């Protein structure tokens, strides 16, 4: 899909949506079949804020990777930003990742050899943006995470919280409609984690669809929807005020003793 | 990602591992060095050989005592000494330059039978000690007849050449350099010098002609055939003939064979035309080219394997980086380009260093051996293309491996 077509799509009202229909994902590891996802249905409307919780190996990260077009489902359909990814070629998926999705990872995943600003520029690099445009947008993004004063620092010179803020700036720099965060506070102390969550909440308030995978109930309670995963399936969903208050309504299925 | 950005990324990653990059390059440096030096020396030698041959005389035909099949394929000649001796014995010839049944007066029937406009001179070569006052030099001496200046298309700067009227007299003509070294500014015409201790009168000085690979054409002594070369005045090494046109040259060869076979017998001497000499030189060049080809191939393999090895290491070290880049929207071609450029950069840098080292080495050769290697744009281009080719060819597989990595697996890769 051409960049123009992609742009047109983003602004036709579907921009920012994620829709998964009976998504299955089966891995083969050393000859053993691992059923990571077993029929997941999930819809996020543009501007939604959802958290996925569940035990390790329940398929949360796999769903996140599939939603972000890093991975393909074994069966089922995934529409990202209103576009069906099923028939897409690898380079089209790369373009989709580049323009519509921003990733935030638990271990930051910054390139250690380059400065914060250069790290933030990476998505723009693969979009063919000019040097000056890249620099100004990277600084803009760093400003949003209050790190413009550390633009020339290398990741090793930054604290964990700062590194994650650089990573969020990198996710924001391409002005995506969706941000996917996999345990964004998992490697951080609670105070830095608070800062990260505040930045993500700000992004959500500007209309970005936010999907966060977390183990941490406190993190999940920032979201309006908390989706519980178990054994590659959605176990239940809580609706929530999204501000850390008590649940508003319960989901379709209830499971007790949800491990956290 | 445009080319410039990719180049910058590649350069950054090479700079991060300077020592490793340098060690990797050593193979390609040596390879390019060898290719560059061999090609330059080879083409220099060919050029010089051709210069020597064309410098001999216009449409020259050389006759030397001793049989050598000129039209044989030189690449089939074996170089083992015992086999060579056997071949000589089979041919029933004496070693040339040791003995010869050519006599100087044979040049007269030769001259008569040659096509119109052709000229012939007997030719013997010797090393002589030349003295004038306190100054002395060891030089090559050519024994010829009066046709020599016309055959070599060289005129006299001073005095005259000897003719048949001088027969029996001990006279000589000097090359321009020899004259300068013995006499300086003094006019040597009419003066006496000593050649191997015997007194000779100087009749003239040749115009300068310049040097070729094996000898200085101006630092030599020209003697009349009646004085003789190393075989004495009764025998000569061979004859030199020049013809007005290439056609006449071929006819002259036939005439030489006919006349001299009558005098000394079949298959005892060799007649070779300028064309045939150039062809032989070409054969020798091909032989050198084959050997350079082998060296090039080995260099390519050694340099290339070094590059491939280090690129594979670089890819496996940077699996996570590749995953990150892919997650940020890099396509497989972007990753491929990045790693290919890196190995190309390694190749080119190694190549440039190899060429620089080659320049130094060739300059040394020129000084030590007094032999001008030919450094043309072709040698540089070939060496550069070689190093670039190695970089790309041996970088393809690692780069393809990098490009094909699954982003999820790459991101989860532990270092």
């Amino acid at each position: 899909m051409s960049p123009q077509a992609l742009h047109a799509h983003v602004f036709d009202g579907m921009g920012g949506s994620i829709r998964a229909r009976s998504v299955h994902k089966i891995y083969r590891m050393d000859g053993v079949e691992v059923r990571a996802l077993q029929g997941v249905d999930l819809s996020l409307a543009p501007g939604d804020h959802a958290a996925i919780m569940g035990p390790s190996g329940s398929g949360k990260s796999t769903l996140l990777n599939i939603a972000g077009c890093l991975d393909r489902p074994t069966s089922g359909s995934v529409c990202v930003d209103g576009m069906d990814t099923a028939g897409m070629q690898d380079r089209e998926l790369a373009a989709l990742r580049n323009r519509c999705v921003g990733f935030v990872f638990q271990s930051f995943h910054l390139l250690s050899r380059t400065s914060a600003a250069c790290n933030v520029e990476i998505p723009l690099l693969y979009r063919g943006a000019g040097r000056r445009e890249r620099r100004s947008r990277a600084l803009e993004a760093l400003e949003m995470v209050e790190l413009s004063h550390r633009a020339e620092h290398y990741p090793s010179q930054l604290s964990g919280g700062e590194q994650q803020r650089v990573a969020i700036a990198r996710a924001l720099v391409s002005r995506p409609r969706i941000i996917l965060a996999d345990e964004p506070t998992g490697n951080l102390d609670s105070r830095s984690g608070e800062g990260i969550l505040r930045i993500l909440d700000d992004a959500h308030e500007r209309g970005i669809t936010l999907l966060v995978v977390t183990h941490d109930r406190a993190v999940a309670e920032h979201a309006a929807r908390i989706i519980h995963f178990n054994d590659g399936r959605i176990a239940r969903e809580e609706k929530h005020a999204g501000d850390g208050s008590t649940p508003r309504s319960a989901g379709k299925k209830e499971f007790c003793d949800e491990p956290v | 990602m445009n080319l410039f950005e990719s180049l910058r990324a590649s350069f950054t990653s090479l700079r991060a591992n300077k020592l490793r990059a340098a060690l990797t390059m050593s193979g390609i440096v040596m390879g390019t060095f060898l290719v560059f030096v061999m090609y330059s020396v080879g083409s220099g030698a060919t050029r010089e050989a051709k210069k020597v041959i064309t410098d001999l005389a216009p449409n020259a035909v050389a006759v030397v005592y001793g049989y050598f099949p000129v039209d044989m394929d030189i690449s089939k000649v074996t170089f083992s000494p015992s086999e060579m001796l056997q071949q000589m014995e089979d041919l029933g010839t004496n070693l040339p330059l040791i003995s010869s049944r050519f006599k100087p007066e044979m040049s007269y029937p030769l001259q008569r039978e040659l096509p119109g406009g052709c000229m012939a001179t007997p030719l013997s070569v010797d090393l002589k000690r030349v003295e004038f006052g306190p100054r002395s030099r060891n030089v090559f001496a050519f024994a010829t007849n009066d046709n020599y200046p016309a055959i070599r298309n060289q005129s006299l700067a001073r005095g005259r050449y000897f003719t048949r009227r001088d027969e029996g007299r001990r006279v000589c003509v000097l090359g321009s350099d020899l004259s300068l070294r013995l006499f300086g500014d003094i006019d040597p015409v009419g003066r006496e010098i000593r050649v191997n201790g015997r007194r000779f009168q100087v009749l003239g000085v040749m115009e300068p002609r310049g040097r070729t690979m094996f000898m200085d054409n101006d630092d030599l002594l020209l003697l009349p055939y009646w004085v003789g070369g190393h075989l004495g005045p009764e025998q000569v090494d061979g004859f030199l003939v020049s013809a007005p046109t290439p056609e006449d040259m071929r006819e002259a060869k036939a005439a030489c064979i006919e006349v001299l076979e009558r005098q000394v017998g079949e298959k005892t001497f060799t007649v070779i035309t300028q064309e045939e000499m150039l062809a032989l030189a070409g054969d020798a060049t091909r032989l050198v080219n084959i050997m350079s080809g082998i060296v090039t191939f080995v260099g390519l393999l050694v340099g290339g394997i070094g590059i491939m090895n280090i690129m594979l290491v670089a890819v496996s070290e940077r699996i996570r980086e590749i995953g990150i880049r892919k997650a940020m929207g890099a396509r497989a071609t972007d990753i491929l380009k990045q790693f290919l450029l890196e190995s190309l950069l390694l190749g080119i840098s190694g190549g440039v260093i190899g060429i620089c080292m080659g320049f130094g080495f060739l300059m040394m050769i020129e000084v030590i051996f007094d032999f001008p290697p030919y450094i043309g744009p072709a040698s540089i281009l070939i060496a550069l293309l070689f190093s670039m080719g190695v970089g790309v060819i041996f970088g393809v597989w690692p780069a393809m491996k990098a490009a094909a990595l699954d982003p999820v697996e790459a991101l989860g890769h532990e270092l």
Side-chain angles (χ1 to χ4, degrees), chain B residues 128-139 172 174 178-179 181-183 188 191-202 221:
Chain B
K128 303 263 194 209
R129 181 170 184 78
V130 186
E131 289 165 276
F132 177 70
R135 298 184 190 174
S136 70
R137 275 188 78 66
N138 290 319
V139 294
C172 66
L174 307 180
L178 179 61
S179 165
R181 286 173 197 211
L182 286 182
F183 291 94
R191 292 186 185 265
E192 271 190 353
I193 59 170
R194 282 177 183 275
V195 178
N196 281 9
R198 309 183 75 169
R199 295 200 285 182
F200 276 68
Q201 194 189 8
V202 178
L221 181 69

Side-chain angles (χ1 to χ4, degrees), chain B residues 79-135:
Chain B
F79 289 106
S80 104
S82 59
E83 279 181 45
M84 277 167 81
L85 279 174
Q86 188 59 49
Q87 278 169 1
M88 297 257 190
E89 269 174 40
D90 290 350
L91 292 167
T93 58
N94 301 310
L95 285 170
L97 300 182
I98 288 174
S99 149
S100 157
R101 282 160 63 196
F102 285 152
K103 297 189 186 317
E105 49 285 12
M106 287 175 191
S107 66
Y108 301 119
L110 204 58
Q111 180 75 66
R112 274 198 306 276
E113 302 283 328
L114 287 171
C118 290
M119 275 177 290
T121 174
L123 190 68
S124 284
V125 185
D126 198 6
L127 203 60
K128 303 263 194 209
R129 181 170 184 78
V130 186
E131 289 165 276
F132 177 70
R135 298 184 190 174

Side-chain angles (χ1 to χ4, degrees), chain A residues 148-160:
Chain A
S148 48
H149 61 293
R150 312 214 66 176
E152 295 312 317
H153 286 68
Y154 283 72
S156 56
Q157 298 166 316
L158 301 173
S159 72

Side-chain angles (χ1 to χ4, degrees), chain A residues 57-93:
Chain A
S58 60
K60 331 182 276 295
S61 294
T62 304
L63 181 71
L64 202 74
N65 289 336
I66 289 176
C69 305
L70 272 178
D71 210 348
R72 292 173 187 269
T74 310
S75 69
S77 76
V78 179
C79 294
V80 177
D81 236 24
M83 283 173 284
D84 191 351
T85 59
M88 284 194 184
Q89 293 180 328
D90 281 351
R91 60 184 168 80
E92 292 170 318
L93 290 179

Side-chain angles (χ1 to χ4, degrees), chain B residues 2 25 32 66 80 96 130 153 218 243 271 304 315 320 333 359 362:
Chain B
N2 67 32
M25 271 192 287
T32 318
S80 104
V130 186
N153 201 13
D218 299 322
V271 183
V315 170
R320 221 167 57 116
T333 50
F359 263 112
L362 291 174

Side-chain angles (χ1 to χ4, degrees), chain A residues 208-235:
Chain A
I208 289 175
T209 308
L210 188 58
L211 184 57
V212 181
V213 163
T214 184
H215 273 104
D216 188 340
R217 179 83 203 174
V219 172
E221 281 179 358
H222 281 253
R225 298 167 62 188
I226 302 179
I227 298 153
H228 293 266
F229 259 60
N230 205 355
D231 276 342
R233 290 190 184 88
I234 294 179

